Amino acid sequence: MTEYKIALVGFGGVNRALAQLIAERNARWKTELGFTLKIVGVTDLFLGSLIGREGLDAGVLARLPAVKGAFAQLPGGSAEAQNAAVIKDSGADIIAEATFTNPVDGEPATSFCRWALENGQHVVTTNKGPIALHGPELKALALRHDVGFEYEGAVMSGTPVIRLAKQTLAGSELSGFEGILNGTSNYVLTRMEGGLGFAEAVREAQVLGYAEADPTADVEGHDVRLKVVILANELLGAKLTVSDVSCNGISALDLADIEQARADGARWKLIGAATRHADGSVSASVEPRLLGNDHPLAGISGATNAVSFNSELLGAVTVSGPGAGRMETAFALLSDIIAIHRRVAHH
Ligand code: HSE
């Protein structure tokens, strides 16, 4: 039986949900998955830091009030975020990185991943920034230090997309994909089909927790663009950067456009897509597209995400599911840890 020591970097909704899962399910994982997790460190910009090499109580952490400096109330805790110390001095085998996405330079998350990989620790992350902006460098580091680096939750949270395409669809000759990769914009388009104005629909998406605090990245396609870069590079062997992907959002669509689409038997969707061409080059875009009602993505409503892979041997394979959510994204971290466990067992 294996016990992995894990340190949590960022303690917002996602890693807190992972702590809750550990508190509730470790015993079950022991028999079903062949390992248990012991939290040995946690650090957060708002809550502070805590190291407990003998193991911290996951239930206590999961229930901790979200009050500034709250970790200082626990034995050995501090009100300061001590990211480097929690990564390097906690004795963790695995670092679970779930801090905010910085779409400009991927920091500070990229540095957290880099430190951990250089330190010989496995890394699981839900963060789009490090993968879209520094993926090749971080993957090379993981390879050099012979550790796992997994990031299923960077695209469509816990809905399996990256490993599904890389592992299960290997050999099917993927030639491209089209995806609804932002829950907020799809929710907004769905509500506009119900007659609600754009601004009001965005406000609803914020209240429901789908949209970012500044929803510009959601509705202007910037969030989707990061996900397209990740998927194109992971699945199609591309070497795209963010500036290679043309990007238009949904803010120019009005109720008349939506109504016209309905009359024509179609729906507007914000589509992130990439295609591999015969010469091996890959082109990618984010744009609103008018989809006929028979398109595999036309029926995806509300905040649900979906991606349709095009492959030579199977045609279109479509996966839909949640694209965000604290427990959904914590599950992505669990699936990454399972992948690392299998890697370790295989070694
Ligand atoms: N704000 C994003 C969305 C969250 O609406 O899909 C996931 O990246």
Side-chain angles (χ1 to χ4, degrees):
M1 227 296 300
T2 311
E3 178 183 76
Y4 296 108
K5 289 173 271 177
I6 185 166
L8 312 179
V9 178
F11 202 67
V14 174
N15 263 339
R16 192 183 276 265
L18 182 63
Q20 189 185 331
L21 287 177
I22 293 170
E24 291 168 357
R25 292 168 201 237
N26 239 349
R28 200 184 309 171
W29 292 344
K30 190 174 182 170
T31 47
E32 287 180 8
L33 302 175
F35 65 82
T36 57
L37 297 177
K38 180 160 87 176
I39 302 175
V40 291
V42 53
T43 178
D44 182 82
L45 210 54
F46 182 72
L47 299 169
S49 306
L50 190 58
I51 294 179
R53 294 175 74 102
E54 299 311 312
L56 299 165
D57 187 322
V60 169
L61 293 178
R63 289 189 300 272
L64 198 73
V67 174
K68 188 158 179 56
F71 288 140
Q73 309 306 318
L74 300 176
S78 147
E80 306 296 318
Q82 295 167 343
N83 304 300
V86 167
I87 291 170
K88 291 180 178 159
D89 303 337
S90 61
D93 307 301
I94 300 174
I95 303 298
E97 196 286 323
T99 64
F100 64 96
T101 289
N102 175 341
V104 177
D105 60 7
E107 290 296 355
T110 302
S111 292
F112 301 154
C113 294
R114 200 181 280 131
W115 296 340
L117 295 170
E118 283 171 346
N119 204 30
Q121 293 161 302
H122 306 288
V123 173
V124 296
T125 179
T126 58
N127 202 313
K128 297 177 279 274
I131 315 304
L133 304 173
H134 301 282
E137 178 215 326
L138 295 172
K139 280 194 277 183
L141 254 188
L143 203 62
R144 193 165 341 129
H145 292 273
D146 197 18
V147 287
F149 180 47
E150 301 286 336
Y151 35 83
E152 181 65 56
V155 179
M156 282 176 66
S157 70
T159 305
V161 171
I162 296 177
R163 258 191 303 275
L164 173 84
K166 276 173 83 164
Q167 296 181 5
T168 314
L169 294 179
S172 70
E173 304 294 351
L174 286 180
S175 58
F177 63 84
E178 296 172 288
I180 292 175
L181 298 170
N182 181 268
T184 299
S185 49
N186 205 51
Y187 178 83
V188 167
L189 290 173
T190 304
R191 293 294 284 132
M192 286 173 78
E193 287 169 348
L196 205 66
F198 176 81
E200 209 175 326
V202 172
R203 260 193 303 281
E204 270 193 15
Q206 283 180 297
V207 170
L208 289 166
Y210 308 138
E212 308 296 322
D214 173 3
T216 315
D218 292 304
V219 297
E220 296 302 352
H222 306 155
D223 173 68
V224 177
R225 184 167 50 175
L226 291 178
K227 294 167 179 168
V228 166
V229 169
I230 295 171
L231 290 182
N233 291 352
E234 288 296 316
L235 314 181
L236 303 177
K239 293 189 170 58
L240 299 183
T241 63
V242 168
S243 60
D244 296 322
V245 183
S246 63
C247 184
N248 291 293
I250 60 166
S251 59
L253 292 175
D254 59 21
L255 287 175
D257 296 316
I258 305 282
E259 192 44 48
Q260 184 60 50
R262 191 208 312 272
D264 295 340
R267 298 179 84 182
W268 282 105
K269 293 290 176 192
L270 181 63
I271 299 295
T275 306
R276 184 164 47 206
H277 304 285
D279 66 358
S281 66
V282 174
S283 58
S285 63
V286 179
E287 61 187 6
R289 285 191 193 169
L290 206 48
L291 305 185
N293 285 337
D294 57 348
H295 189 284
L297 299 179
I300 306 298
S301 295
T304 302
N305 283 201
V307 62
S308 189
F309 300 106
N310 303 314
S311 75
E312 193 182 318
L313 301 187
L314 292 170
V317 174
T318 305
V319 184
S320 75
R326 52 189 288 279
M327 200 46 94
E328 293 82 347
T329 313
F331 170 71
L333 291 176
L334 174 63
S335 77
D336 285 344
I337 293 165
I338 294 168
I340 283 171
H341 174 63
R342 290 183 179 156
R343 177 185 196 280
V344 170
H346 185 71
H347 265 44

